[in-house]
Amino acid sequence: MKKSNITDLAKHLNLAPSTISRALAGHKDISEITKTRVKEAADFFNYVPNLHARYFRKKNSNLIALILPDVNNFFIPELIRGINDVFNKTDYSIITFFSKDNFLIEKEIINYCISWMVEGVLLSVSDETKDLKHLDILVQSNIPVVLLDKVFPSSDHSLVHIDDSKTAFNATNFLISKGCKNILGIFGKPDVQMVQDRMAGFKNALYQSNLEFSNEQNILTNPNLENFEYKLTSLLESKQYDGCFIMSDELAFLAYPILVDKALFPNKIHLITISDGQVIGALRPKIPYIYHSGFNIGTRSAEVLLEHLENKEMKASDEVLETVLVR
Amino acid sequence: MKKSNITDLAKHLNLAPSTISRALAGHKDISEITKTRVKEAADFFNYVPNLHARYFRKKNSNLIALILPDVNNFFIPELIRGINDVFNKTDYSIITFFSKDNFLIEKEIINYCISWMVEGVLLSVSDETKDLKHLDILVQSNIPVVLLDKVFPSSDHSLVHIDDSKTAFNATNFLISKGCKNILGIFGKPDVQMVQDRMAGFKNALYQSNLEFSNEQNILTNPNLENFEYKLTSLLESKQYDGCFIMSDELAFLAYPILVDKALFPNKIHLITISDGQVIGALRPKIPYIYHSGFNIGTRSAEVLLEHLENKEMKASDEVLETVLVR
DNA sequence: ATGAAAGCGCTAACAG
DNA sequence: CTGTTAGCGCTTTCAT
């Protein structure tokens, strides 16, 4: 079945293509009667606009690019839900890309965004990303970018994130307030900015309470799935920890069963994690956590991007969302 | 900074636009020397193709539509990961839509797909969808559709799913094999096809083992977040269940803390669920589950769609993935 | 091996 | 209120 286009409708109704276009767009100086006729014909002939033609001509795209390192089962789904909640109320569609935490892929995706004429970019940078130079091309093309969650200081791009250092600091102090003296911190890849920030907050809390600290004894970093159990088990057997700060949901879900199986949690060791709270709340016994909402990060970053789209002159903002202890 | 296009490059190099186009596309009857010159110039002038112009002209889009009811923290992220794993190796981009389990929205999205000239559709139907008539327009436009996970029998569209009835049957039999005599089944909305299928499998297993059954005593359906705890608690207090089949991860994560808090699990009641295994594996004590992999459903459906794209004449297939008990 | 020319479907001046 | 016209950037046929 051949698809009908504006020209077809124009011929059927003895009108000019431009009139059809304007009628369908609800342009105000087309008579109501014509609008009705055109819309009925469009319905009858199953007319659907060709968006490539439209956006090609109009030099826009109604597309927002969402660039994420990957999908997980915790924070990212909530983030996606928040972003969609905001953009579903608009005409924008979302085109999603995954960098697989690979900087070169991230860079390619950025170019792809230009090719798609996306109107805005929501970016959570890859673990490998060390600066934001690869975003210059977006700035030059006047495409607003909002960095979310994993961010770098920037005067060119708006940021929506939490205070990672402070959040980790508060989490660690929760353990200290419980009387913990030997606290283990479990972190991700140590060369990632966010990990360094959270680690700094963790160390700072220990330092301020005059607690002993050594990298070997108090920090477990960059555990990959294969040797995580081994490394954590070794550490737990080497020393009697009474507290454990876990940087994220992923790591918490790796550590939790080990700590329970070794009968350490909940009786011998206090836990705390930074979590988006979606699934961790079902664990029994409960793990206290600092609530870091993917949904809120998502909605706020989407809203900030919308503001940039509505006002191209708006300058970059830096929004730091609050986190709160849940126990 | 003005973006350069093929015409600009043509002028700079004293070549025709068509030559530039062919050189960039690696067309074989352009000399190597010209190709090199063109590519260097493209690099130098930061040329990026205008995909709307290209796809408008070529009447395709390199877009795949992924239509999902919603995001959750269990099955859907794995599904997305699987789909992206497959399409990342191709030139296709994925444009994601969420129907919010609303049939009318799903229908609108389908039309939107036509407007975007998407080349294929991956669809997990909404809870409200009762038939597939709204997909006729895709068939007429010769756009292949793969239905995933939540499917309806169809000769027009390929299906990738599990045998819901059989899976629930096997799960229930696992409980029976543990000696359970009073088994509670927890299900989603009873008007949804998949729920009915899983319920049929559940009932059938009870029936074949001559176990007592009543809708009021053995089935909890359509629990929404507000009154789930109340309804489940009432049921658990009305009767001494020794087994509980839970239809999905979402429901398992709602029921689990209640069953643990009431000291029923793991000592007084056996559990089983159908799960994609991603986060449920961290629960202690463990819940046995029938592994229903979102990742596999995702990769298989993406592969099937790719086959349809490569061979437009291919007829619809029905792929039923196996499920396996994990304990 | 390269060029000339047409046209995809749509919208936005401009004209009346 | 409606029509005429041009052209967005690209690819492809046809010609050389």
Side-chain angles (χ1 to χ4, degrees):
Chain A
M1 198 185 64
K2 200 194 157 291
K3 269 184 277 190
S4 62
N5 58 31
I6 278 186
T7 317
D8 296 335
L9 295 184
K11 280 175 192 155
H12 280 291
L13 297 174
N14 276 316
L15 287 167
S18 51
T19 307
I20 308 290
S21 172
R22 286 185 280 236
L24 291 170
H27 211 285
K28 66 178 169 196
D29 49 41
I30 299 289
S31 69
E32 280 310 316
I33 172 103
T34 306
K35 279 183 187 165
T36 314
R37 280 184 67 218
V38 169
K39 279 169 188 164
E40 277 171 1
D43 241 26
F44 180 76
F45 291 106
N46 289 315
Y47 168 78
V48 285
N50 180 328
L51 293 180
H52 290 291
R54 175 183 292 172
Y55 296 145
F56 168 44
R57 166 67 224 239
K58 292 177 59 156
K59 293 179 189 299
N60 68 358
S61 72
N62 274 34
L63 284 172
I64 300 296
L66 172 59
I67 309 175
L68 299 171
D70 214 335
V71 210
N72 65 18
N73 294 79
F74 308 101
F75 187 82
I76 302 289
E78 284 300 297
L79 190 74
I80 293 176
R81 204 176 307 165
I83 290 166
N84 275 280
D85 260 32
V86 173
F87 281 109
N88 279 345
K89 296 176 193 131
T90 72
D91 284 333
Y92 292 102
S93 296
I94 294 174
I95 181 161
T96 313
F97 301 97
F98 296 96
S99 65
K100 295 270 164 191
D101 271 318
N102 180 318
F103 178 69
L104 289 177
I105 295 179
E106 184 172 302
K107 217 172 155 180
E108 270 178 35
I109 293 171
I110 300 291
N111 273 314
Y112 215 52
C113 288
I114 308 267
S115 277
W116 272 116
M117 284 197 264
V118 304
E119 302 192 28
V121 173
L122 293 168
L123 171 63
S124 180
V125 297
S126 81
D127 280 349
E128 292 177 6
T129 304
K130 297 296 172 233
D131 62 63
L132 302 175
K133 279 200 216 69
H134 60 311
L135 306 183
D136 286 353
I137 184 170
L138 293 170
V139 177
Q140 285 156 23
S141 309
N142 204 25
I143 298 172
V145 180
V146 177
L147 297 171
L148 35 137
D149 194 38
K150 296 162 139 193
V151 306
F152 288 92
S154 164
S155 53
D156 285 330
H157 315 291
S158 285
L159 315 177
V160 175
H161 59 122
I162 61 169
D163 186 331
D164 285 296
S165 165
K166 193 176 106 186
T167 302
F169 179 82
N170 291 344
T172 311
N173 274 336
F174 168 79
L175 295 176
I176 294 170
S177 77
K178 290 285 177 185
C180 299
K181 303 284 179 204
N182 286 306
I183 301 177
L184 175 65
I186 301 181
F187 296 89
K189 300 181 200 154
D191 54 333
V192 175
Q193 186 61 47
M194 174 202 271
V195 176
Q196 288 170 10
D197 291 342
R198 294 189 181 180
M199 209 183 292
F202 172 72
K203 289 183 187 175
N204 195 22
L206 297 186
Y207 176 79
Q208 289 197 12
S209 292
N210 297 309
L211 291 176
E212 267 184 68
F213 171 81
S214 81
N215 276 321
E216 292 70 31
Q217 296 247 309
N218 297 104
I219 297 248
L220 172 57
T221 58
N222 192 22
N224 49 41
L225 287 163
E226 295 89 56
N227 60 14
F228 179 70
E229 182 163 357
Y230 172 75
K231 281 172 105 175
L232 179 56
T233 305
S234 308
L235 272 171
L236 291 171
E237 283 167 0
S238 72
K239 189 164 173 176
Q240 266 216 313
Y241 295 99
D242 52 9
C244 180
F245 165 71
I246 310 176
M247 196 198 82
S248 69
D249 275 310
E250 278 98 333
L251 294 170
F253 270 81
L254 283 177
Y256 175 83
I258 297 169
L259 290 162
V260 172
D261 289 348
K262 294 185 83 70
L264 293 170
F265 182 73
N267 296 323
K268 300 195 173 159
I269 199 164
H270 286 277
L271 288 185
I272 190 156
T273 181
I274 299 173
S275 168
D276 123 291
Q278 281 304 300
V279 286
I280 209 162
L283 295 183
R284 290 296 181 277
K286 287 185 183 179
I287 302 184
Y289 61 93
I290 308 257
Y291 178 43
H292 171 211
S293 164
F295 187 84
N296 289 347
I297 295 274
T299 49
R300 276 310 294 149
S301 55
E303 283 163 6
V304 170
L305 184 57
L306 270 184
E307 289 169 30
H308 277 286
L309 292 169
E310 280 156 16
N311 173 12
K312 283 288 199 173
E313 307 308 318
M314 202 177 93
K315 62 177 198 291
S317 60
D318 182 355
E319 183 155 340
V320 182
L321 302 190
E322 288 304 311
T323 52
V324 45
L325 177 69
V326 178
R327 45 198 295 188
Chain B
M1 197 186 62
K2 198 194 158 292
K3 271 184 275 189
S4 61
N5 58 31
I6 278 187
T7 318
D8 296 335
L9 295 184
K11 281 176 190 153
H12 280 290
L13 297 175
N14 275 318
L15 288 167
S18 47
T19 307
I20 308 291
S21 173
R22 284 185 279 236
L24 290 170
H27 210 285
K28 65 177 165 173
D29 50 39
I30 299 289
S31 69
E32 281 309 317
I33 173 104
T34 307
K35 279 183 186 163
T36 315
R37 283 181 66 217
V38 169
K39 277 169 189 165
E40 277 170 2
D43 241 27
F44 181 76
F45 291 106
N46 290 314
Y47 168 79
V48 285
N50 181 327
L51 293 180
H52 290 292
R54 174 182 294 172
Y55 296 143
F56 168 43
R57 168 65 225 240
K58 292 177 62 158
K59 294 182 189 301
N60 68 356
S61 73
N62 274 33
L63 284 172
I64 299 297
L66 173 60
I67 309 175
L68 299 171
D70 214 338
V71 210
N72 66 18
N73 294 81
F74 307 101
F75 187 82
I76 302 289
E78 284 299 297
L79 190 74
I80 294 176
R81 205 176 307 164
I83 291 166
N84 275 281
D85 260 31
V86 173
F87 282 109
N88 279 345
K89 295 175 194 134
T90 72
D91 284 333
Y92 293 101
S93 297
I94 294 174
I95 182 161
T96 314
F97 301 97
F98 296 97
S99 65
K100 296 267 163 196
D101 271 319
N102 179 318
F103 177 70
L104 289 177
I105 296 179
E106 184 172 302
K107 217 172 154 180
E108 271 179 36
I109 293 170
I110 300 291
N111 272 312
Y112 215 51
C113 289
I114 308 266
S115 277
W116 272 117
M117 283 197 266
V118 304
E119 302 190 29
V121 173
L122 292 168
L123 169 63
S124 180
V125 298
S126 80
D127 280 350
E128 292 176 7
T129 303
K130 297 296 172 234
D131 63 64
L132 302 175
K133 279 200 217 68
H134 59 312
L135 305 182
D136 286 352
I137 184 170
L138 293 171
V139 177
Q140 285 156 22
S141 308
N142 204 25
I143 298 172
V145 180
V146 177
L147 296 171
L148 34 136
D149 194 38
K150 295 162 139 190
V151 307
F152 288 92
S154 163
S155 53
D156 286 329
H157 316 292
S158 284
L159 316 177
V160 176
H161 60 122
I162 61 168
D163 184 330
D164 285 296
S165 166
K166 191 176 109 186
T167 302
F169 179 82
N170 291 344
T172 310
N173 274 336
F174 168 80
L175 295 176
I176 293 169
S177 77
K178 289 285 176 185
C180 299
K181 304 283 179 204
N182 287 306
I183 301 177
L184 175 66
I186 302 181
F187 296 89
K189 301 179 199 154
D191 55 334
V192 174
Q193 186 61 49
M194 173 202 272
V195 176
Q196 288 169 11
D197 291 342
R198 293 190 181 181
M199 208 182 291
F202 171 72
K203 289 184 188 175
N204 195 22
L206 296 188
Y207 176 77
Q208 291 199 9
S209 292
N210 297 309
L211 291 175
E212 267 185 68
F213 171 81
S214 81
N215 275 321
E216 292 71 33
Q217 295 246 309
N218 297 104
I219 297 249
L220 172 57
T221 58
N222 192 21
N224 50 43
L225 287 163
E226 294 89 56
N227 60 13
F228 179 70
E229 183 163 357
Y230 172 74
K231 281 173 105 175
L232 179 56
T233 305
S234 307
L235 271 172
L236 292 171
E237 282 167 1
S238 72
K239 187 164 175 178
Q240 264 214 315
Y241 295 99
D242 51 11
C244 180
F245 165 71
I246 309 177
M247 194 198 82
S248 69
D249 275 310
E250 279 97 331
L251 294 170
F253 270 82
L254 283 176
Y256 175 84
I258 297 170
L259 291 162
V260 173
D261 290 347
K262 295 183 84 70
L264 293 170
F265 183 72
N267 296 324
K268 300 194 174 159
I269 199 165
H270 286 278
L271 289 185
I272 191 156
T273 180
I274 299 173
S275 168
D276 122 293
Q278 280 306 299
V279 286
I280 210 163
L283 296 182
R284 291 296 181 277
K286 287 185 182 178
I287 302 185
Y289 60 92
I290 308 256
Y291 178 43
H292 171 212
S293 164
F295 187 84
N296 289 348
I297 295 273
T299 49
R300 276 311 295 150
S301 55
E303 283 163 6
V304 169
L305 184 56
L306 271 184
E307 289 169 31
H308 277 286
L309 293 169
E310 280 156 16
N311 173 13
K312 285 287 200 173
E313 306 308 320
M314 202 178 92
K315 63 178 198 289
S317 60
D318 182 354
E319 183 155 341
V320 182
L321 302 191
E322 289 303 312
T323 53
V324 45
L325 177 69
V326 178
R327 43 199 298 189

